Amino acid sequence: MKNNSKSILAILAILAVIVFLGWFFWDILVYMLIALALSFLGKPLMRLLSRIKIKGKQFPVSLAAAITLVVIVIALFLIFYFLIPVIIREVTSIMSIDPTALNEEFSNWLDKLDPTLQKFGFLNSGEHFSTLVSNEIQKAFMKIDMSNIVSDTFSAAKAFFIGLFSVLFMTFFTLKDHGIFFKMLKEWIPTKYRENFSNILDATGKQLSSYFIGVFMDMLFVGMIEFILCLIFRVPNALLIGVVGGALNIIPFVGPILACALGGVISLTSLIPTDPGSAILLNTLLKVIIIFVTTKMIDDFILQPTIYGKRTQTHPLEIFIVILMAGYVGGVFAMIFAVPAYTLIRTVVKEFFGTYFFSEEESIKKK
């Protein structure tokens, strides 16, 4: 009994240290997780290249990893290459907007809400909703410090390039030496528990690989659905809206809302320079909302149950609670990696504490 208690304490201590290191070095953990995700996506190409033999010799692993990494980088580059003209066109469209005309149009919209707001006591007699909004916007702009914006921009650019280099470097070695992160972690685990660790890797490896591929497929399908619906409803900048919607769909719950808001802004800013009526703008905005709500329902009831439920063998309600907890603790990034982290933790608990949590279930199966 004492030995069991010591083993449990030792396992909990190891898990606590791993969680603390992950929290303290959060940026590095994110780089590692992105590198793992990219390596999972590149694994089919690595398998294909490994089957090639040159004069009876196996295709060099380092060369296969380099080729796979180049293919991944080229694929990402092509995505941005085709998106850049669309983004430039959108920025040009925004820059061509007449601020005075936009302000007048916006004020006219808001002034129409005055009678309703005054009726329910939200505005006093003689007050205008547009004036209040304008004052709040001016106060927000007065608080903006340009020096901080410049320094923050440089810091963000620096962090981006450091992160990009780190991810590419880690991805190469993850492709070259399969499971390198887990091998490094294994060295820190006592010899007594290394067999359990290997069992955990075997149980979660295929599952996590399948999960990341599923997430990529989900993003792709969501983006395509939104793009097609935008074309059907004749919403401007359908491609850009679809890409934004698909990319942000990786963020659970919050992502679709942000994508819908950005989709509305993208569609409206492309129409405003042509000076359409308020009815056309409102109609376009309603179309965008309908498109994103429809896509969200398709994703929730068809795509996600198939991808997340079957690939992680977890109930949708369980996933929902896990993602909410992750968002509360670590924000957006934690929400993105909540499901794979939970899958790993659940496998660890089952491996080490299976006799405590699953003995009753196993006994029923035996009967």
Side-chain angles (χ1 to χ4, degrees):
M1 190 71 180
K2 289 183 178 180
N3 290 333
N4 288 336
S5 300
K6 289 180 179 179
S7 298
I8 292 171
L9 290 174
I11 294 164
L12 292 175
I14 293 169
L15 290 174
V17 170
I18 293 172
V19 170
F20 172 76
L21 291 174
W23 172 78
F24 191 78
F25 297 103
W26 176 247
D27 292 343
I28 298 174
L29 179 61
V30 170
Y31 299 155
M32 291 171 62
L33 290 172
I34 295 173
L36 275 173
L38 292 176
S39 67
F40 282 138
L41 292 175
K43 193 179 290 184
L45 181 57
M46 282 291 294
R47 288 200 196 100
L48 182 64
L49 293 173
S50 65
R51 294 174 185 172
I52 299 174
K53 291 187 178 181
I54 303 173
K55 295 181 180 181
K57 292 184 180 179
Q58 197 74 27
F59 195 85
V61 179
S62 298
L63 183 58
I67 292 173
T68 304
L69 183 60
V70 169
V71 170
I72 292 172
V73 171
I74 291 174
L76 294 174
F77 173 78
L78 288 175
I79 291 172
F80 285 107
Y81 178 78
F82 286 111
L83 283 178
I84 284 173
V86 181
I87 294 171
I88 291 174
R89 188 168 66 246
E90 176 64 19
V91 172
T92 305
S93 177
I94 293 172
M95 295 295 290
S96 64
I97 295 173
D98 183 5
T100 305
L102 179 62
N103 184 50
E104 290 178 1
E105 185 70 24
F106 188 61
S107 297
N108 291 333
W109 289 353
L110 295 178
D111 287 340
K112 293 177 181 178
L113 299 174
D114 288 349
T116 304
L117 294 174
Q118 289 173 1
K119 180 180 178 181
F120 289 98
F122 293 104
L123 283 179
N124 296 323
S125 179
E127 286 186 334
H128 297 285
F129 187 46
S130 60
T131 305
L132 295 176
V133 172
S134 178
N135 291 336
E136 291 300 321
I137 292 173
Q138 288 180 3
K139 289 179 183 178
F141 274 107
M142 289 177 64
K143 292 179 181 179
I144 297 174
D145 189 349
M146 289 304 297
S147 60
N148 287 337
I149 291 176
V150 173
S151 62
D152 290 343
T153 303
F154 278 110
S155 299
K158 180 182 176 183
F160 172 77
F161 285 109
I162 291 174
L164 180 63
F165 175 78
S166 300
V167 168
L168 293 177
F169 188 81
M170 291 179 181
T171 303
F172 171 76
F173 283 100
T174 307
L175 290 167
K176 178 178 175 292
D177 190 355
H178 179 65
I180 182 63
F181 292 129
F182 301 110
K183 291 176 183 176
M184 292 168 59
L185 184 60
K186 190 175 182 179
E187 296 297 323
W188 290 86
I189 293 177
T191 309
K192 182 179 179 181
Y193 303 111
R194 287 185 182 178
E195 184 179 350
N196 301 103
F197 184 77
S198 298
N199 294 336
I200 292 168
L201 290 185
D202 292 337
T204 57
K206 293 180 180 179
Q207 207 169 354
L208 291 179
S209 177
S210 177
Y211 171 78
F212 281 118
I213 293 172
V215 169
F216 178 77
M217 290 171 58
D218 185 47
M219 292 168 61
L220 185 63
F221 283 134
V222 166
M224 287 176 62
I225 292 170
E226 289 167 353
F227 168 65
I228 293 169
L229 289 176
C230 284
L231 289 178
I232 293 171
F233 284 93
R234 296 183 180 179
V235 175
N237 284 327
L239 178 60
L240 185 58
I241 292 173
V243 170
V244 169
L248 291 178
N249 197 64
I250 194 174
I251 307 173
F253 310 127
V254 181
I257 298 173
L258 291 175
C260 183
L262 287 174
V265 172
I266 291 169
S267 61
L268 293 181
T269 51
S270 61
L271 288 173
I272 288 174
T274 62
D275 196 23
S278 57
I280 295 175
L281 294 176
L282 183 60
N283 187 35
T284 303
L285 186 59
L286 288 174
K287 286 180 181 179
V288 172
I289 294 172
I290 290 170
I291 287 168
F292 276 89
V293 170
T294 303
T295 307
K296 180 62 178 169
M297 292 177 67
I298 294 172
D299 189 34
D300 285 346
F301 293 105
I302 299 175
L303 298 178
Q304 286 194 17
T306 303
I307 293 171
Y308 293 95
K310 291 183 179 179
R311 291 176 184 270
T312 60
Q313 298 176 359
T314 308
H315 194 277
L317 179 60
E318 197 174 349
I319 291 174
F320 178 79
I321 295 171
V322 168
I323 292 174
L324 281 182
M325 292 172 64
Y328 180 79
V329 174
V332 172
F333 279 112
M335 293 173 74
I336 294 172
F337 297 105
V339 175
Y342 176 67
T343 301
L344 182 61
I345 292 171
R346 191 179 58 176
T347 307
V348 171
V349 171
K350 187 174 181 179
E351 175 66 27
F352 286 110
F353 305 105
T355 55
Y356 294 93
F357 295 102
F358 303 99
S359 57
E360 194 173 315
E361 180 183 338
E362 289 171 358
S363 63
I364 292 171
K365 286 182 180 180
K366 287 179 182 178
K367 290 179 181 179

